[in-house]
């Protein structure tokens, strides 16, 4: 088993056992989704194997901070990565690259390099996919459970605003997701 497979098994175990049940969006399934999207985008963008390993590790850890709570979860995700990854023979320099990718996903996203752009696009890949409304409803349920969103009207306003201000960074995501995302924005705005 590779170091990545070992750390995957460990982090998925933690997410399954320790995340609160009300996290209907930021859960194991979201991490699997982002991992798959990151791999697909990386393959399309021609990312080399070692960089891809770091990217996928960042995808694994990017929302692990939810184990400690929503606030500043990206910084918590980095702290978790820094405490766990040395035990799986990740070097300090690699961990810093991984943490850079995780920090870039903080909204508003702020990627500084290609790997960070890929993780940002993977994290919000669903905004331009066929399963958008399924996942959007899961996020709505989660935010409602936490008292962050009050009702559907507020959700539609927030979502339309968020999506209008969001941008995809990679050529792959722009090509595959942008047009459908724009259709969803129009649809959501029609409900306002």
């Amino acid at each position: 088993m590779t170091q990545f497979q070992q750390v995957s098994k460990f982090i998925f175990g933690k997410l399954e056992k320790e995340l609160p049940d009300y996290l209907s969006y930021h859960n194991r399934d979201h991490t699997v989704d982002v991992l798959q999207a990151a791999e697909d985008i990386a393959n399309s963008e021609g990312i080399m194997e070692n960089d891809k390993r770091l990217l996928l590790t960042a995808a694994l850890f990017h929302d692990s901070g939810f184990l400690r709570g929503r606030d500043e979860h990206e910084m918590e995700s980095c702290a978790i990565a820094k405490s766990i990854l040395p035990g799986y023979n990740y070097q300090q320099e690699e961990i810093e690259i991984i943490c850079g990718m995780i920090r870039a996903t903080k909204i508003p996203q702020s990627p500084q390099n290609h790997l960070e752009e890929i993780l940002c696009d993977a994290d919000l890949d669903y905004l331009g996919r066929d399963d958008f409304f399924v996942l959007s409803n899961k996020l709505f349920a989660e935010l409602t459970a936490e008292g962050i969103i009050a009702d559907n009207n507020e959700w539609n306003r927030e979502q339309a605003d968020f999506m209008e201000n969001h941008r995809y960074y990679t050529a792959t995501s722009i090509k595959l997701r942008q047009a459908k995302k724009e259709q969803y924005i129009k649809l959501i705005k029609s409900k306002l």
Side-chain angles (χ1 to χ4, degrees):
M1 195 182 291
T2 67
Q3 71 184 142
F4 176 76
Q5 290 169 321
Q6 290 171 338
V7 80
S8 294
K9 187 175 177 184
F10 173 81
I11 202 70
F12 279 128
K14 275 186 87 59
L15 295 176
E16 284 173 17
K17 289 184 194 111
E18 298 176 29
L19 282 175
D21 289 339
Y22 69 82
L23 292 177
S24 50
Y25 177 82
H26 289 102
N27 55 28
R28 181 191 190 281
D29 292 344
H30 171 66
T31 300
V32 170
D33 186 53
V34 173
L35 195 59
Q36 185 61 59
E39 186 166 24
D40 292 346
I41 297 167
N43 289 338
S44 178
E45 298 275 315
I47 300 302
M48 304 302 278
E49 281 308 309
N50 191 55
D51 284 344
K52 193 188 313 180
R53 178 180 59 88
L54 299 180
L55 170 69
L56 298 181
T57 303
L60 265 184
F61 279 85
H62 86 284
D63 277 344
S64 61
F66 274 90
L67 291 162
R68 298 178 180 171
R70 178 177 300 279
D71 292 343
E72 297 295 324
H73 70 268
E74 297 88 0
M75 297 310 287
E76 293 296 335
S77 296
C78 283
I80 291 168
K82 286 178 179 179
S83 70
I84 291 170
L85 290 176
Y88 291 91
N89 297 316
Y90 282 78
Q91 302 306 307
Q92 200 56 45
E93 182 182 314
E94 294 175 321
I95 296 168
E96 285 307 315
I97 293 167
I98 290 164
C99 282
M101 287 184 260
I102 293 169
R103 286 190 297 270
T105 65
K106 183 178 174 72
I107 305 298
Q109 294 177 327
S110 58
Q112 304 298 311
N113 60 50
H114 198 199
L115 290 178
E116 292 177 9
E117 290 175 346
I118 293 171
L119 187 59
C120 286
D121 284 357
D123 192 23
L124 295 174
D125 186 60
Y126 83 99
L127 294 177
R129 284 195 330 229
D130 292 340
D131 60 351
F132 167 75
F133 286 106
V134 171
L135 294 172
S136 171
N137 288 337
K138 288 182 178 187
L139 184 55
F140 173 67
E142 177 178 305
L143 296 174
T144 304
E146 288 191 70
I148 296 170
I149 296 287
D151 57 35
N152 273 313
N153 287 333
E154 181 183 3
W155 176 237
N156 287 331
R157 279 193 307 277
E158 292 274 337
Q159 209 170 201
D161 185 51
F162 175 77
M163 290 173 75
E164 283 186 317
N165 289 306
H166 166 266
R167 66 176 279 227
Y168 285 116
Y169 295 95
T170 63
T172 301
S173 293
I174 292 166
K175 179 182 168 197
L176 295 177
R177 304 291 183 232
Q178 185 65 34
K180 190 160 276 194
K181 182 185 86 167
E182 288 171 15
Q183 289 173 4
Y184 293 146
I185 293 169
K186 286 179 188 163
L187 194 55
I188 293 164
K189 288 176 91 171
S190 75
K191 298 176 184 180
L192 297 175

